[in-house]
Amino acid sequence: MSALEKPKAIFSPKWLVSVGALAVCGGAFGYVTGDWFAERFPHGGGFSYLAEQGYPPLTIISLVLGGVLLFIYVCSAIVYGLAIVNKGIASNRVLTGGLGGNPSSRKAYPYIFVFYIAYAAVFGILTLYAASPNLPTSFAWPMFLIGLVSSIAMAWSATKLWFILDEFFRTIWVEACALASFIMLVIVLIVASAVSVGLMPAVTLYSGLVLYQLIYLITYGIVAGARDPNMLEMGEPEDA
């Protein structure tokens, strides 16, 4: 950058407005979720109630982390939904996971939006049943139908994304998934051995799913950063 060039503003007014909108949406989501838990668990709130009912600490930790993950997926859906209609958000590579506002990425945002909505729905159902395993039977069919439709939407949108995005991002996905799966396999073998000899209690599938998602998100960031050190720049690269 020459001496006459002005440095790019990192926190532009549009970026601040977008973050503020996301914060409002996140606060509203948290309020509705907390209000639902308060009504359902009037004797002390969601997770403290689980502890009083004898839920294992690992299950409670998994539910807390699962709630955080669910919040992240809902926020991600909001971000990509806004990126469809807001070029400023689309061009922000931090908010869009490194995709930016190039033409192929703009085509991908509707499918990413659908994927995160569907993923949040499926994971939300799993979290609900993990927190309240004794739900009324009337919940079974609605939850099944929502999960089925969401699963089909996830498969459809992921297939579309595979052919829309370029080889760079497909490679990141494959490498991150392979590395996360390898790490998870090692952890599963260690945990299974510890459970078999009585060093720790049995682990639920939900806890394993939450752990894998955390490992994958961290692995994706590491792999993406290694392949593109400028991934965290807010804005399009100069040669875009």
mmCIF file of all heavy atoms in Angstrom, residues 160-213:
data_model
loop_
_atom_site.group_PDB
_atom_site.id
_atom_site.type_symbol
_atom_site.label_atom_id
_atom_site.label_comp_id
_atom_site.label_asym_id
_atom_site.label_seq_id
_atom_site.Cartn_x
_atom_site.Cartn_y
_atom_site.Cartn_z
ATOM 1 N N LYS A 160 -26.107 -29.284 -4.183
ATOM 2 C CA LYS A 160 -26.021 -28.078 -5.019
ATOM 3 C C LYS A 160 -24.729 -27.313 -4.741
ATOM 4 O O LYS A 160 -24.045 -26.865 -5.666
ATOM 5 C CB LYS A 160 -27.230 -27.179 -4.743
ATOM 6 C CG LYS A 160 -28.543 -27.714 -5.260
ATOM 7 C CD LYS A 160 -28.617 -27.633 -6.768
ATOM 8 C CE LYS A 160 -29.986 -28.013 -7.274
ATOM 9 N NZ LYS A 160 -30.083 -27.940 -8.764
ATOM 10 N N LEU A 161 -24.366 -27.184 -3.463
ATOM 11 C CA LEU A 161 -23.170 -26.433 -3.101
ATOM 12 C C LEU A 161 -21.909 -27.102 -3.633
ATOM 13 O O LEU A 161 -20.953 -26.430 -4.013
ATOM 14 C CB LEU A 161 -23.089 -26.294 -1.574
ATOM 15 C CG LEU A 161 -24.097 -25.336 -0.943
ATOM 16 C CD1 LEU A 161 -24.079 -25.470 0.570
ATOM 17 C CD2 LEU A 161 -23.790 -23.906 -1.359
ATOM 18 N N TRP A 162 -21.898 -28.417 -3.637
ATOM 19 C CA TRP A 162 -20.715 -29.140 -4.104
ATOM 20 C C TRP A 162 -20.369 -28.772 -5.543
ATOM 21 O O TRP A 162 -19.206 -28.680 -5.919
ATOM 22 C CB TRP A 162 -20.940 -30.641 -3.972
ATOM 23 C CG TRP A 162 -19.760 -31.463 -4.389
ATOM 24 C CD1 TRP A 162 -19.561 -32.076 -5.585
ATOM 25 C CD2 TRP A 162 -18.600 -31.741 -3.597
ATOM 26 N NE1 TRP A 162 -18.359 -32.727 -5.600
ATOM 27 C CE2 TRP A 162 -17.743 -32.538 -4.388
ATOM 28 C CE3 TRP A 162 -18.212 -31.391 -2.302
ATOM 29 C CZ2 TRP A 162 -16.517 -32.995 -3.923
ATOM 30 C CZ3 TRP A 162 -16.996 -31.848 -1.840
ATOM 31 C CH2 TRP A 162 -16.161 -32.635 -2.640
ATOM 32 N N PHE A 163 -21.390 -28.542 -6.372
ATOM 33 C CA PHE A 163 -21.159 -28.229 -7.782
ATOM 34 C C PHE A 163 -21.064 -26.725 -8.054
ATOM 35 O O PHE A 163 -20.560 -26.315 -9.098
ATOM 36 C CB PHE A 163 -22.272 -28.834 -8.643
ATOM 37 C CG PHE A 163 -22.271 -30.334 -8.667
ATOM 38 C CD1 PHE A 163 -23.188 -31.053 -7.910
ATOM 39 C CD2 PHE A 163 -21.338 -31.031 -9.418
ATOM 40 C CE1 PHE A 163 -23.180 -32.435 -7.914
ATOM 41 C CE2 PHE A 163 -21.322 -32.416 -9.431
ATOM 42 C CZ PHE A 163 -22.239 -33.122 -8.680
ATOM 43 N N ILE A 164 -21.554 -25.910 -7.115
ATOM 44 C CA ILE A 164 -21.481 -24.457 -7.314
ATOM 45 C C ILE A 164 -20.122 -23.907 -6.904
ATOM 46 O O ILE A 164 -19.488 -23.149 -7.646
ATOM 47 C CB ILE A 164 -22.606 -23.755 -6.529
ATOM 48 C CG1 ILE A 164 -23.958 -24.028 -7.174
ATOM 49 C CG2 ILE A 164 -22.359 -22.237 -6.474
ATOM 50 C CD1 ILE A 164 -25.123 -23.426 -6.421
ATOM 51 N N LEU A 165 -19.652 -24.284 -5.709
ATOM 52 C CA LEU A 165 -18.408 -23.738 -5.191
ATOM 53 C C LEU A 165 -17.212 -24.354 -5.908
ATOM 54 O O LEU A 165 -17.275 -25.472 -6.425
ATOM 55 C CB LEU A 165 -18.306 -23.974 -3.688
ATOM 56 C CG LEU A 165 -19.384 -23.282 -2.849
ATOM 57 C CD1 LEU A 165 -19.195 -23.598 -1.378
ATOM 58 C CD2 LEU A 165 -19.344 -21.765 -3.060
ATOM 59 N N ASP A 166 -16.090 -23.621 -5.919
ATOM 60 C CA ASP A 166 -14.922 -24.085 -6.657
ATOM 61 C C ASP A 166 -14.141 -25.125 -5.861
ATOM 62 O O ASP A 166 -14.474 -25.466 -4.730
ATOM 63 C CB ASP A 166 -14.019 -22.906 -7.027
ATOM 64 C CG ASP A 166 -13.598 -22.089 -5.809
ATOM 65 O OD1 ASP A 166 -13.547 -22.670 -4.712
ATOM 66 O OD2 ASP A 166 -13.315 -20.894 -5.962
ATOM 67 N N GLU A 167 -13.076 -25.617 -6.500
ATOM 68 C CA GLU A 167 -12.294 -26.700 -5.913
ATOM 69 C C GLU A 167 -11.641 -26.291 -4.601
ATOM 70 O O GLU A 167 -11.420 -27.129 -3.715
ATOM 71 C CB GLU A 167 -11.223 -27.153 -6.912
ATOM 72 C CG GLU A 167 -10.412 -28.352 -6.453
ATOM 73 C CD GLU A 167 -9.394 -28.788 -7.481
ATOM 74 O OE1 GLU A 167 -9.395 -28.221 -8.585
ATOM 75 O OE2 GLU A 167 -8.598 -29.691 -7.175
ATOM 76 N N PHE A 168 -11.337 -25.003 -4.434
ATOM 77 C CA PHE A 168 -10.670 -24.522 -3.226
ATOM 78 C C PHE A 168 -11.500 -24.839 -1.983
ATOM 79 O O PHE A 168 -11.006 -25.420 -1.015
ATOM 80 C CB PHE A 168 -10.423 -23.017 -3.339
ATOM 81 C CG PHE A 168 -9.841 -22.395 -2.110
ATOM 82 C CD1 PHE A 168 -8.507 -22.562 -1.800
ATOM 83 C CD2 PHE A 168 -10.634 -21.635 -1.262
ATOM 84 C CE1 PHE A 168 -7.959 -21.985 -0.659
ATOM 85 C CE2 PHE A 168 -10.103 -21.058 -0.127
ATOM 86 C CZ PHE A 168 -8.766 -21.235 0.172
ATOM 87 N N PHE A 169 -12.786 -24.471 -2.029
ATOM 88 C CA PHE A 169 -13.629 -24.685 -0.857
ATOM 89 C C PHE A 169 -14.034 -26.153 -0.711
ATOM 90 O O PHE A 169 -14.217 -26.639 0.406
ATOM 91 C CB PHE A 169 -14.869 -23.793 -0.934
ATOM 92 C CG PHE A 169 -14.572 -22.359 -0.616
ATOM 93 C CD1 PHE A 169 -14.423 -21.425 -1.619
ATOM 94 C CD2 PHE A 169 -14.410 -21.950 0.690
ATOM 95 C CE1 PHE A 169 -14.127 -20.101 -1.322
ATOM 96 C CE2 PHE A 169 -14.111 -20.628 1.001
ATOM 97 C CZ PHE A 169 -13.973 -19.708 -0.013
ATOM 98 N N ARG A 170 -14.183 -26.868 -1.828
ATOM 99 C CA ARG A 170 -14.467 -28.296 -1.724
ATOM 100 C C ARG A 170 -13.306 -29.014 -1.051
ATOM 101 O O ARG A 170 -13.506 -29.924 -0.225
ATOM 102 C CB ARG A 170 -14.722 -28.891 -3.114
ATOM 103 C CG ARG A 170 -16.029 -28.452 -3.746
ATOM 104 C CD ARG A 170 -16.450 -29.404 -4.852
ATOM 105 N NE ARG A 170 -15.470 -29.443 -5.932
ATOM 106 C CZ ARG A 170 -15.527 -28.691 -7.025
ATOM 107 N NH1 ARG A 170 -16.521 -27.838 -7.174
ATOM 108 N NH2 ARG A 170 -14.629 -28.797 -7.965
ATOM 109 N N THR A 171 -12.087 -28.608 -1.367
ATOM 110 C CA THR A 171 -10.918 -29.219 -0.744
ATOM 111 C C THR A 171 -10.879 -28.945 0.754
ATOM 112 O O THR A 171 -10.559 -29.826 1.559
ATOM 113 C CB THR A 171 -9.629 -28.693 -1.399
ATOM 114 O OG1 THR A 171 -9.658 -28.996 -2.797
ATOM 115 C CG2 THR A 171 -8.405 -29.333 -0.792
ATOM 116 N N ILE A 172 -11.216 -27.707 1.139
ATOM 117 C CA ILE A 172 -11.253 -27.362 2.567
ATOM 118 C C ILE A 172 -12.272 -28.231 3.292
ATOM 119 O O ILE A 172 -12.006 -28.771 4.366
ATOM 120 C CB ILE A 172 -11.579 -25.868 2.755
ATOM 121 C CG1 ILE A 172 -10.409 -25.007 2.291
ATOM 122 C CG2 ILE A 172 -11.891 -25.567 4.216
ATOM 123 C CD1 ILE A 172 -10.667 -23.524 2.377
ATOM 124 N N TRP A 173 -13.447 -28.381 2.714
ATOM 125 C CA TRP A 173 -14.485 -29.201 3.338
ATOM 126 C C TRP A 173 -14.015 -30.633 3.532
ATOM 127 O O TRP A 173 -14.172 -31.211 4.604
ATOM 128 C CB TRP A 173 -15.749 -29.183 2.477
ATOM 129 C CG TRP A 173 -16.517 -27.908 2.572
ATOM 130 C CD1 TRP A 173 -16.268 -26.861 3.414
ATOM 131 C CD2 TRP A 173 -17.651 -27.530 1.800
ATOM 132 N NE1 TRP A 173 -17.171 -25.861 3.212
ATOM 133 C CE2 TRP A 173 -18.024 -26.230 2.227
ATOM 134 C CE3 TRP A 173 -18.368 -28.136 0.790
ATOM 135 C CZ2 TRP A 173 -19.112 -25.561 1.678
ATOM 136 C CZ3 TRP A 173 -19.447 -27.481 0.239
ATOM 137 C CH2 TRP A 173 -19.819 -26.199 0.675
ATOM 138 N N VAL A 174 -13.443 -31.208 2.454
ATOM 139 C CA VAL A 174 -13.026 -32.612 2.526
ATOM 140 C C VAL A 174 -11.907 -32.794 3.548
ATOM 141 O O VAL A 174 -11.928 -33.716 4.369
ATOM 142 C CB VAL A 174 -12.575 -33.100 1.130
ATOM 143 C CG1 VAL A 174 -11.948 -34.486 1.232
ATOM 144 C CG2 VAL A 174 -13.762 -33.135 0.178
ATOM 145 N N GLU A 175 -10.913 -31.915 3.515
ATOM 146 C CA GLU A 175 -9.793 -32.040 4.442
ATOM 147 C C GLU A 175 -10.249 -31.842 5.892
ATOM 148 O O GLU A 175 -9.827 -32.585 6.793
ATOM 149 C CB GLU A 175 -8.703 -31.028 4.091
ATOM 150 C CG GLU A 175 -7.945 -31.363 2.817
ATOM 151 C CD GLU A 175 -6.782 -30.423 2.583
ATOM 152 O OE1 GLU A 175 -6.566 -29.527 3.428
ATOM 153 O OE2 GLU A 175 -6.090 -30.578 1.566
ATOM 154 N N ALA A 176 -11.092 -30.845 6.128
ATOM 155 C CA ALA A 176 -11.573 -30.591 7.488
ATOM 156 C C ALA A 176 -12.413 -31.756 7.993
ATOM 157 O O ALA A 176 -12.272 -32.187 9.146
ATOM 158 C CB ALA A 176 -12.390 -29.291 7.520
ATOM 159 N N CYS A 177 -13.263 -32.306 7.126
ATOM 160 C CA CYS A 177 -14.104 -33.426 7.524
ATOM 161 C C CYS A 177 -13.255 -34.661 7.815
ATOM 162 O O CYS A 177 -13.487 -35.359 8.811
ATOM 163 C CB CYS A 177 -15.115 -33.729 6.427
ATOM 164 S SG CYS A 177 -16.294 -35.024 6.858
ATOM 165 N N ALA A 178 -12.265 -34.928 6.952
ATOM 166 C CA ALA A 178 -11.407 -36.097 7.151
ATOM 167 C C ALA A 178 -10.595 -35.968 8.442
ATOM 168 O O ALA A 178 -10.493 -36.923 9.223
ATOM 169 C CB ALA A 178 -10.481 -36.268 5.949
ATOM 170 N N LEU A 179 -10.030 -34.787 8.678
ATOM 171 C CA LEU A 179 -9.218 -34.586 9.878
ATOM 172 C C LEU A 179 -10.079 -34.654 11.135
ATOM 173 O O LEU A 179 -9.690 -35.285 12.135
ATOM 174 C CB LEU A 179 -8.503 -33.236 9.801
ATOM 175 C CG LEU A 179 -7.557 -32.889 10.965
ATOM 176 C CD1 LEU A 179 -6.501 -33.972 11.136
ATOM 177 C CD2 LEU A 179 -6.903 -31.524 10.718
ATOM 178 N N ALA A 180 -11.253 -34.033 11.095
ATOM 179 C CA ALA A 180 -12.147 -34.075 12.252
ATOM 180 C C ALA A 180 -12.613 -35.506 12.532
ATOM 181 O O ALA A 180 -12.708 -35.921 13.689
ATOM 182 C CB ALA A 180 -13.357 -33.168 12.014
ATOM 183 N N SER A 181 -12.888 -36.264 11.474
ATOM 184 C CA SER A 181 -13.318 -37.651 11.652
ATOM 185 C C SER A 181 -12.204 -38.491 12.259
ATOM 186 O O SER A 181 -12.458 -39.348 13.119
ATOM 187 C CB SER A 181 -13.752 -38.243 10.307
ATOM 188 O OG SER A 181 -14.853 -37.534 9.776
ATOM 189 N N PHE A 182 -10.967 -38.256 11.826
ATOM 190 C CA PHE A 182 -9.831 -39.003 12.386
ATOM 191 C C PHE A 182 -9.657 -38.683 13.873
ATOM 192 O O PHE A 182 -9.470 -39.580 14.692
ATOM 193 C CB PHE A 182 -8.555 -38.661 11.622
ATOM 194 C CG PHE A 182 -7.325 -39.309 12.198
ATOM 195 C CD1 PHE A 182 -7.050 -40.647 11.985
ATOM 196 C CD2 PHE A 182 -6.440 -38.571 12.974
ATOM 197 C CE1 PHE A 182 -5.919 -41.244 12.529
ATOM 198 C CE2 PHE A 182 -5.312 -39.152 13.518
ATOM 199 C CZ PHE A 182 -5.053 -40.497 13.291
ATOM 200 N N ILE A 183 -9.730 -37.392 14.218
ATOM 201 C CA ILE A 183 -9.604 -36.992 15.620
ATOM 202 C C ILE A 183 -10.728 -37.607 16.444
ATOM 203 O O ILE A 183 -10.512 -38.125 17.553
ATOM 204 C CB ILE A 183 -9.617 -35.460 15.747
ATOM 205 C CG1 ILE A 183 -8.378 -34.862 15.064
ATOM 206 C CG2 ILE A 183 -9.661 -35.035 17.216
ATOM 207 C CD1 ILE A 183 -8.401 -33.351 14.987
ATOM 208 N N MET A 184 -11.947 -37.585 15.899
ATOM 209 C CA MET A 184 -13.084 -38.130 16.620
ATOM 210 C C MET A 184 -12.944 -39.633 16.792
ATOM 211 O O MET A 184 -13.314 -40.182 17.849
ATOM 212 C CB MET A 184 -14.368 -37.802 15.855
ATOM 213 C CG MET A 184 -15.634 -38.099 16.637
ATOM 214 S SD MET A 184 -15.739 -37.065 18.130
ATOM 215 C CE MET A 184 -17.164 -37.790 18.925
ATOM 216 N N LEU A 185 -12.409 -40.318 15.790
ATOM 217 C CA LEU A 185 -12.212 -41.770 15.896
ATOM 218 C C LEU A 185 -11.257 -42.107 17.034
ATOM 219 O O LEU A 185 -11.505 -43.038 17.823
ATOM 220 C CB LEU A 185 -11.681 -42.323 14.578
ATOM 221 C CG LEU A 185 -11.350 -43.824 14.557
ATOM 222 C CD1 LEU A 185 -12.603 -44.645 14.862
ATOM 223 C CD2 LEU A 185 -10.758 -44.220 13.209
ATOM 224 N N VAL A 186 -10.168 -41.351 17.133
ATOM 225 C CA VAL A 186 -9.212 -41.568 18.226
ATOM 226 C C VAL A 186 -9.884 -41.335 19.577
ATOM 227 O O VAL A 186 -9.724 -42.125 20.517
ATOM 228 C CB VAL A 186 -7.987 -40.644 18.058
ATOM 229 C CG1 VAL A 186 -7.058 -40.765 19.266
ATOM 230 C CG2 VAL A 186 -7.233 -40.987 16.782
ATOM 231 N N ILE A 187 -10.676 -40.264 19.687
ATOM 232 C CA ILE A 187 -11.363 -39.966 20.942
ATOM 233 C C ILE A 187 -12.364 -41.071 21.285
ATOM 234 O O ILE A 187 -12.483 -41.485 22.441
ATOM 235 C CB ILE A 187 -12.065 -38.602 20.850
ATOM 236 C CG1 ILE A 187 -11.022 -37.487 20.754
ATOM 237 C CG2 ILE A 187 -12.972 -38.376 22.058
ATOM 238 C CD1 ILE A 187 -11.624 -36.110 20.559
ATOM 239 N N VAL A 188 -13.092 -41.556 20.287
ATOM 240 C CA VAL A 188 -14.072 -42.622 20.525
ATOM 241 C C VAL A 188 -13.387 -43.873 21.053
ATOM 242 O O VAL A 188 -13.871 -44.521 21.993
ATOM 243 C CB VAL A 188 -14.846 -42.931 19.233
ATOM 244 C CG1 VAL A 188 -15.631 -44.237 19.373
ATOM 245 C CG2 VAL A 188 -15.795 -41.791 18.896
ATOM 246 N N LEU A 189 -12.242 -44.228 20.468
ATOM 247 C CA LEU A 189 -11.522 -45.414 20.934
ATOM 248 C C LEU A 189 -11.042 -45.236 22.380
ATOM 249 O O LEU A 189 -11.146 -46.160 23.196
ATOM 250 C CB LEU A 189 -10.332 -45.692 20.013
ATOM 251 C CG LEU A 189 -10.687 -46.134 18.581
ATOM 252 C CD1 LEU A 189 -9.423 -46.270 17.747
ATOM 253 C CD2 LEU A 189 -11.461 -47.439 18.603
ATOM 254 N N ILE A 190 -10.539 -44.049 22.700
ATOM 255 C CA ILE A 190 -10.074 -43.790 24.064
ATOM 256 C C ILE A 190 -11.235 -43.815 25.046
ATOM 257 O O ILE A 190 -11.167 -44.437 26.121
ATOM 258 C CB ILE A 190 -9.337 -42.440 24.129
ATOM 259 C CG1 ILE A 190 -8.053 -42.492 23.294
ATOM 260 C CG2 ILE A 190 -9.011 -42.067 25.574
ATOM 261 C CD1 ILE A 190 -7.332 -41.162 23.192
ATOM 262 N N VAL A 191 -12.349 -43.135 24.689
ATOM 263 C CA VAL A 191 -13.510 -43.088 25.568
ATOM 264 C C VAL A 191 -14.112 -44.482 25.745
ATOM 265 O O VAL A 191 -14.486 -44.877 26.858
ATOM 266 C CB VAL A 191 -14.563 -42.110 25.016
ATOM 267 C CG1 VAL A 191 -15.876 -42.236 25.799
ATOM 268 C CG2 VAL A 191 -14.043 -40.684 25.085
ATOM 269 N N ALA A 192 -14.201 -45.250 24.644
ATOM 270 C CA ALA A 192 -14.751 -46.599 24.738
ATOM 271 C C ALA A 192 -13.912 -47.470 25.667
ATOM 272 O O ALA A 192 -14.453 -48.260 26.462
ATOM 273 C CB ALA A 192 -14.831 -47.228 23.350
ATOM 274 N N SER A 193 -12.595 -47.316 25.599
ATOM 275 C CA SER A 193 -11.719 -48.073 26.490
ATOM 276 C C SER A 193 -11.922 -47.654 27.935
ATOM 277 O O SER A 193 -11.983 -48.502 28.843
ATOM 278 C CB SER A 193 -10.259 -47.874 26.078
ATOM 279 O OG SER A 193 -10.039 -48.308 24.745
ATOM 280 N N ALA A 194 -12.045 -46.332 28.170
ATOM 281 C CA ALA A 194 -12.254 -45.835 29.531
ATOM 282 C C ALA A 194 -13.586 -46.300 30.097
ATOM 283 O O ALA A 194 -13.689 -46.653 31.278
ATOM 284 C CB ALA A 194 -12.171 -44.311 29.540
ATOM 285 N N VAL A 195 -14.629 -46.315 29.254
ATOM 286 C CA VAL A 195 -15.936 -46.774 29.713
ATOM 287 C C VAL A 195 -15.901 -48.262 30.034
ATOM 288 O O VAL A 195 -16.478 -48.720 31.029
ATOM 289 C CB VAL A 195 -17.014 -46.468 28.644
ATOM 290 C CG1 VAL A 195 -18.339 -47.141 29.009
ATOM 291 C CG2 VAL A 195 -17.225 -44.957 28.500
ATOM 292 N N SER A 196 -15.215 -49.049 29.190
ATOM 293 C CA SER A 196 -15.197 -50.500 29.376
ATOM 294 C C SER A 196 -14.504 -50.919 30.661
ATOM 295 O O SER A 196 -14.854 -51.945 31.255
ATOM 296 C CB SER A 196 -14.503 -51.169 28.176
ATOM 297 O OG SER A 196 -13.138 -50.783 28.103
ATOM 298 N N VAL A 197 -13.529 -50.138 31.131
ATOM 299 C CA VAL A 197 -12.820 -50.485 32.371
ATOM 300 C C VAL A 197 -13.377 -49.726 33.572
ATOM 301 O O VAL A 197 -12.841 -49.838 34.671
ATOM 302 C CB VAL A 197 -11.304 -50.208 32.230
ATOM 303 C CG1 VAL A 197 -10.701 -51.052 31.127
ATOM 304 C CG2 VAL A 197 -11.038 -48.725 31.991
ATOM 305 N N GLY A 198 -14.439 -48.947 33.354
ATOM 306 C CA GLY A 198 -15.113 -48.284 34.457
ATOM 307 C C GLY A 198 -14.503 -46.976 34.904
ATOM 308 O O GLY A 198 -14.813 -46.497 36.001
ATOM 309 N N LEU A 199 -13.650 -46.357 34.066
ATOM 310 C CA LEU A 199 -13.038 -45.093 34.459
ATOM 311 C C LEU A 199 -13.991 -43.912 34.277
ATOM 312 O O LEU A 199 -13.786 -42.859 34.870
ATOM 313 C CB LEU A 199 -11.758 -44.852 33.652
ATOM 314 C CG LEU A 199 -10.606 -45.841 33.910
ATOM 315 C CD1 LEU A 199 -9.430 -45.516 33.009
ATOM 316 C CD2 LEU A 199 -10.193 -45.795 35.378
ATOM 317 N N MET A 200 -15.002 -44.074 33.446
ATOM 318 C CA MET A 200 -15.970 -42.999 33.222
ATOM 319 C C MET A 200 -17.295 -43.614 32.819
ATOM 320 O O MET A 200 -17.346 -44.754 32.336
ATOM 321 C CB MET A 200 -15.466 -42.019 32.148
ATOM 322 C CG MET A 200 -15.291 -42.626 30.763
ATOM 323 S SD MET A 200 -14.697 -41.430 29.547
ATOM 324 C CE MET A 200 -16.057 -40.240 29.536
ATOM 325 N N PRO A 201 -18.401 -42.881 33.025
ATOM 326 C CA PRO A 201 -19.720 -43.415 32.660
ATOM 327 C C PRO A 201 -19.904 -43.448 31.145
ATOM 328 O O PRO A 201 -19.131 -42.843 30.396
ATOM 329 C CB PRO A 201 -20.686 -42.427 33.324
ATOM 330 C CG PRO A 201 -19.910 -41.151 33.423
ATOM 331 C CD PRO A 201 -18.491 -41.568 33.676
ATOM 332 N N ALA A 202 -20.915 -44.162 30.723
ATOM 333 C CA ALA A 202 -21.209 -44.259 29.301
ATOM 334 C C ALA A 202 -21.543 -42.886 28.722
ATOM 335 O O ALA A 202 -22.106 -42.023 29.399
ATOM 336 C CB ALA A 202 -22.366 -45.225 29.072
ATOM 337 N N VAL A 203 -21.180 -42.683 27.473
ATOM 338 C CA VAL A 203 -21.392 -41.411 26.791
ATOM 339 C C VAL A 203 -22.546 -41.573 25.807
ATOM 340 O O VAL A 203 -22.600 -42.561 25.065
ATOM 341 C CB VAL A 203 -20.120 -40.964 26.049
ATOM 342 C CG1 VAL A 203 -20.361 -39.657 25.322
ATOM 343 C CG2 VAL A 203 -18.966 -40.823 27.036
ATOM 344 N N THR A 204 -23.455 -40.616 25.785
ATOM 345 C CA THR A 204 -24.597 -40.685 24.874
ATOM 346 C C THR A 204 -24.181 -40.295 23.460
ATOM 347 O O THR A 204 -23.149 -39.620 23.254
ATOM 348 C CB THR A 204 -25.723 -39.750 25.343
ATOM 349 O OG1 THR A 204 -25.253 -38.386 25.301
ATOM 350 C CG2 THR A 204 -26.154 -40.085 26.759
ATOM 351 N N LEU A 205 -24.982 -40.702 22.499
ATOM 352 C CA LEU A 205 -24.718 -40.338 21.107
ATOM 353 C C LEU A 205 -24.800 -38.824 20.911
ATOM 354 O O LEU A 205 -24.076 -38.246 20.102
ATOM 355 C CB LEU A 205 -25.711 -41.049 20.183
ATOM 356 C CG LEU A 205 -25.542 -42.564 20.046
ATOM 357 C CD1 LEU A 205 -26.656 -43.131 19.176
ATOM 358 C CD2 LEU A 205 -24.175 -42.899 19.454
ATOM 359 N N TYR A 206 -25.702 -38.181 21.661
ATOM 360 C CA TYR A 206 -25.832 -36.726 21.557
ATOM 361 C C TYR A 206 -24.541 -36.030 21.974
ATOM 362 O O TYR A 206 -24.091 -35.085 21.317
ATOM 363 C CB TYR A 206 -26.994 -36.241 22.415
ATOM 364 C CG TYR A 206 -27.191 -34.739 22.350
ATOM 365 C CD1 TYR A 206 -27.855 -34.160 21.276
ATOM 366 C CD2 TYR A 206 -26.695 -33.909 23.356
ATOM 367 C CE1 TYR A 206 -28.025 -32.785 21.210
ATOM 368 C CE2 TYR A 206 -26.876 -32.535 23.293
ATOM 369 C CZ TYR A 206 -27.536 -31.985 22.225
ATOM 370 O OH TYR A 206 -27.690 -30.623 22.155
ATOM 371 N N SER A 207 -23.925 -36.504 23.066
ATOM 372 C CA SER A 207 -22.659 -35.922 23.508
ATOM 373 C C SER A 207 -21.578 -36.108 22.444
ATOM 374 O O SER A 207 -20.779 -35.200 22.187
ATOM 375 C CB SER A 207 -22.216 -36.573 24.829
ATOM 376 O OG SER A 207 -23.148 -36.316 25.854
ATOM 377 N N GLY A 208 -21.564 -37.280 21.813
ATOM 378 C CA GLY A 208 -20.599 -37.512 20.739
ATOM 379 C C GLY A 208 -20.835 -36.606 19.555
ATOM 380 O O GLY A 208 -19.882 -36.099 18.949
ATOM 381 N N LEU A 209 -22.095 -36.372 19.213
ATOM 382 C CA LEU A 209 -22.426 -35.485 18.096
ATOM 383 C C LEU A 209 -21.983 -34.059 18.389
ATOM 384 O O LEU A 209 -21.420 -33.377 17.519
ATOM 385 C CB LEU A 209 -23.927 -35.528 17.828
ATOM 386 C CG LEU A 209 -24.446 -34.596 16.729
ATOM 387 C CD1 LEU A 209 -23.833 -34.945 15.385
ATOM 388 C CD2 LEU A 209 -25.981 -34.665 16.648
ATOM 389 N N VAL A 210 -22.237 -33.593 19.605
ATOM 390 C CA VAL A 210 -21.817 -32.245 19.993
ATOM 391 C C VAL A 210 -20.302 -32.116 19.926
ATOM 392 O O VAL A 210 -19.767 -31.131 19.388
ATOM 393 C CB VAL A 210 -22.318 -31.915 21.415
ATOM 394 C CG1 VAL A 210 -21.678 -30.629 21.931
ATOM 395 C CG2 VAL A 210 -23.834 -31.770 21.422
ATOM 396 N N LEU A 211 -19.589 -33.117 20.435
ATOM 397 C CA LEU A 211 -18.128 -33.078 20.412
ATOM 398 C C LEU A 211 -17.608 -33.053 18.979
ATOM 399 O O LEU A 211 -16.682 -32.291 18.659
ATOM 400 C CB LEU A 211 -17.560 -34.286 21.159
ATOM 401 C CG LEU A 211 -16.030 -34.386 21.203
ATOM 402 C CD1 LEU A 211 -15.436 -33.170 21.904
ATOM 403 C CD2 LEU A 211 -15.605 -35.665 21.910
ATOM 404 N N TYR A 212 -18.196 -33.866 18.115
ATOM 405 C CA TYR A 212 -17.735 -33.882 16.720
ATOM 406 C C TYR A 212 -17.938 -32.528 16.049
ATOM 407 O O TYR A 212 -17.075 -32.059 15.301
ATOM 408 C CB TYR A 212 -18.473 -34.955 15.924
ATOM 409 C CG TYR A 212 -18.106 -34.925 14.457
ATOM 410 C CD1 TYR A 212 -16.906 -35.466 14.017
ATOM 411 C CD2 TYR A 212 -18.934 -34.311 13.521
ATOM 412 C CE1 TYR A 212 -16.552 -35.418 12.678
ATOM 413 C CE2 TYR A 212 -18.593 -34.255 12.192
ATOM 414 C CZ TYR A 212 -17.399 -34.811 11.760
ATOM 415 O OH TYR A 212 -17.044 -34.739 10.446
ATOM 416 N N GLN A 213 -19.078 -31.887 16.310
ATOM 417 C CA GLN A 213 -19.329 -30.587 15.693
ATOM 418 C C GLN A 213 -18.314 -29.541 16.162
ATOM 419 O O GLN A 213 -17.838 -28.723 15.361
ATOM 420 C CB GLN A 213 -20.751 -30.133 16.021
ATOM 421 C CG GLN A 213 -21.810 -30.966 15.342
ATOM 422 C CD GLN A 213 -23.197 -30.531 15.732
ATOM 423 O OE1 GLN A 213 -23.802 -29.654 15.116
ATOM 424 N NE2 GLN A 213 -23.732 -31.130 16.774
#
